[in-house]
Amino acid sequence: MFICGFCAFLALIRFMDKVRIGIVGTGYIGNVHGRIYSRDERAEVSALFDVVPERAERTARSIGGKVCSSREELLANCDAVLICSPNKTHKDIALNAIVEGKHVFCEKPFSIGIDNARELLDAANAASGVFQVGHNRRYAPVYVKLKELLQNDKAHSAHIKMNRGELKNPVWTGDVNVTGGFLYETTIHLFDMMRFQFGEIEELTAYGSYHEYPELDEFSIIFKFKSGFHCTFASSSDASWHFPFERIEVFCHHRTIMSEEMERLLDSRGMDANFETLSWHMTEKEERWGYVQEDKAFINAIVNGTDPPVTALDGFKSVELVESVYNAIRTGERVKIRAGG
Ligand SMILES: NC(=O)c1ccc[n+]([C@@H]2O[C@H](COP(=O)([O-])OP(=O)(O)OC[C@H]3O[C@@H](n4cnc5c(N)ncnc54)[C@H](O)[C@@H]3O)[C@@H](O)[C@H]2O)c1
């Protein structure tokens, strides 16, 4: 009898300890995170808000959560907010959540424009809660492994590609007033990845043109890093979804290490053409792309009171890189990256 009562008490404590998650924007990525948290015993999807209420209702039917009719109602019903609405909404929603004392997980991009990014960084730094940015690729096993291999070898240079098949789905991805530009919507993922793998960037030169959409949609960039490392970077928004649409080729001493999306890593060492392949194609997509790990990291940071692996400063620096590339193209000049932060 006593044991049952005690177990019930423990169960109650566990329940009370659950981090209540509120999701703003229940489209594609909101549902990805929602499904993951619905399986996490330390979290509970407690509140959903979408400007199209039917979308929140559909999500509630599959994973639960209170469908809220406003952001205010959502904030009153959660401890942590996941910002999963389109890019231009991120800053204001994040500032609002910080003011209300919530932990914040903000999907990429951190915000649009350097002034907005600075304002959000200052607010996040002053906040009591956790602020994590959704650069999921840092947790993807392929990129974790690449980083591990590069700890034991010196990378000299690299060639990086980050393409997209179209800017039509969802429709807003083709609207520069919502995305901030193609670099904010897509390329920013591997801009953050470059810092993760190779360290801080010192300067860059860039060329851009437009063909398919009424914005710059094709980019060629050269980055020089503080360490002396350098790389070329190509990014196209209308390249078809030809595999692999993202790839990092790193060149070391008689060695090439090449990633193919988040599926495979090829490691070729020595003077001949042999290579070793590491593959994650049997891993579930939510884990292969790092979403499960990043969502776990967010709860870890909240529960342990620690910094998350991808901070507001990382988010700020990714925006700084995007803006520097657009500046380099506008001015035709080499752009130095400021210290940042
Ligand atoms: N990290 C990743 O791999 C990844 C993948 C996809 C999308 N994203 C990012 O996540 C965000 C959402 O992308 P998506 O593909 O899920 O888009 P989506 O169009 O599928 O979903 C966005 C949802 O937000 C809702 N919405 C729009 N404005 C809103 C507002 N002010 N308040 C509340 N809800 C609002 C829309 O009705 C829609 O349901 C974007 O910023 C995108 O860049 C990140």
Side-chain angles (χ1 to χ4, degrees):
M1 192 61 194
F2 167 73
I3 289 173
C4 284
F6 186 62
C7 289
F9 174 67
L10 281 182
L12 181 66
I13 297 278
R14 279 172 71 93
F15 175 73
M16 285 167 63
D17 275 344
K18 283 192 177 194
V19 178
R20 293 175 309 149
I21 303 283
I23 306 177
V24 178
T26 51
Y28 169 69
I29 204 70
N31 276 283
V32 169
H33 293 302
R35 279 195 303 274
I36 293 168
Y37 281 123
S38 70
R39 302 191 300 260
D40 187 330
E41 60 178 17
R42 297 179 303 166
E44 175 199 3
V45 178
S46 62
L48 307 166
F49 172 64
D50 196 294
V51 286
V52 182
E54 302 78 57
R55 292 191 181 152
E57 282 156 16
R58 200 182 317 138
T59 301
R61 280 196 294 277
S62 69
I63 59 168
K66 176 182 168 66
V67 176
C68 302
S69 54
S70 67
R71 227 160 66 207
E72 291 67 37
E73 190 184 355
L74 175 128
L75 290 169
N77 284 282
C78 68
D79 309 309
V81 180
L82 311 186
I83 303 173
C84 300
S85 44
N87 307 0
K88 77 162 184 196
T89 65
H90 291 183
K91 187 198 87 172
D92 287 347
I93 298 174
L95 288 177
N96 186 201
I98 288 171
V99 166
E100 294 300 321
K102 306 299 170 186
H103 303 288
V104 178
F105 173 91
C106 180
E107 261 305 342
K108 45 60 63 174
F110 179 63
S111 63
I112 298 171
I114 208 71
D115 292 342
N116 287 330
R118 169 77 58 193
E119 187 184 348
L120 185 51
L121 177 64
D122 290 345
N125 284 343
S128 53
V130 170
F131 194 107
Q132 182 170 322
V133 184
H135 284 296
N136 57 298
R137 278 154 173 81
R138 287 196 187 204
Y139 314 81
V142 71
Y143 290 127
V144 170
K145 187 67 188 178
L146 176 60
K147 191 167 171 69
E148 187 188 309
L149 294 177
L150 292 177
Q151 299 307 302
N152 302 315
D153 210 338
K154 186 172 161 49
H156 299 161
S157 66
H159 178 58
I160 302 174
K161 171 176 89 168
M162 176 99 214
N163 285 347
R164 195 180 159 114
E166 33 65 28
L167 295 179
K168 294 181 187 296
N169 184 25
V171 172
W172 60 262
T173 57
D175 184 347
V176 70
N177 296 313
V178 178
T179 61
F182 172 61
L183 295 181
Y184 275 109
E185 181 43 28
T186 299
T187 323
I188 198 166
H189 274 300
L190 288 201
F191 281 2
D192 176 70
M193 183 50 56
M194 284 192 304
R195 289 189 51 249
F196 179 60
Q197 297 290 348
F198 309 122
E200 297 300 337
I201 291 157
E202 190 172 271
E203 63 178 39
L204 61 93
T205 53
Y207 298 90
S209 53
Y210 61 91
H211 306 270
E212 219 33 56
Y213 302 101
E215 62 165 300
L216 289 169
D217 57 16
E218 206 89 20
F219 297 83
S220 300
I221 313 161
I222 301 178
F223 290 100
K224 177 171 174 283
F225 290 66
K226 292 200 167 124
S227 63
F229 178 86
H230 47 88
C231 69
T232 54
F233 195 123
S235 192
S236 166
S237 67
D238 60 332
S240 88
W241 289 108
H242 174 67
F243 180 88
F245 58 78
E246 75 183 65
R247 174 164 61 199
I248 300 183
E249 286 179 87
V250 190
F251 312 115
C252 310
H253 180 68
H254 293 300
R255 186 176 192 183
T256 295
I257 311 171
M258 183 171 81
S259 64
E260 292 185 325
E261 280 173 36
M262 280 153 282
E263 304 288 318
R264 267 202 309 247
L265 202 61
L266 286 82
D267 185 7
S268 169
R269 269 167 288 181
M271 306 281 190
D272 57 30
N274 289 327
F275 60 87
E276 185 184 347
T277 308
L278 294 152
S279 171
W280 285 270
H281 76 277
M282 294 295 278
T283 306
E284 291 286 342
K285 181 177 177 187
E286 287 173 355
E287 201 175 327
R288 194 168 72 239
W289 283 51
Y291 297 125
V292 171
Q293 302 88 321
E294 81 172 341
D295 288 346
K296 201 175 279 174
F298 184 51
I299 302 293
N300 285 346
I302 293 171
V303 170
N304 302 328
T306 51
D307 279 342
V310 188
T311 61
L313 181 57
D314 292 314
F316 175 86
K317 289 189 174 193
S318 64
V319 171
E320 189 179 42
L321 283 176
V322 167
E323 285 298 317
S324 301
V325 171
Y326 280 128
N327 262 339
I329 295 167
R330 258 195 305 270
T331 60
E333 290 180 359
R334 187 179 299 195
V335 170
K336 292 232 177 257
I337 308 297
R338 294 184 324 158

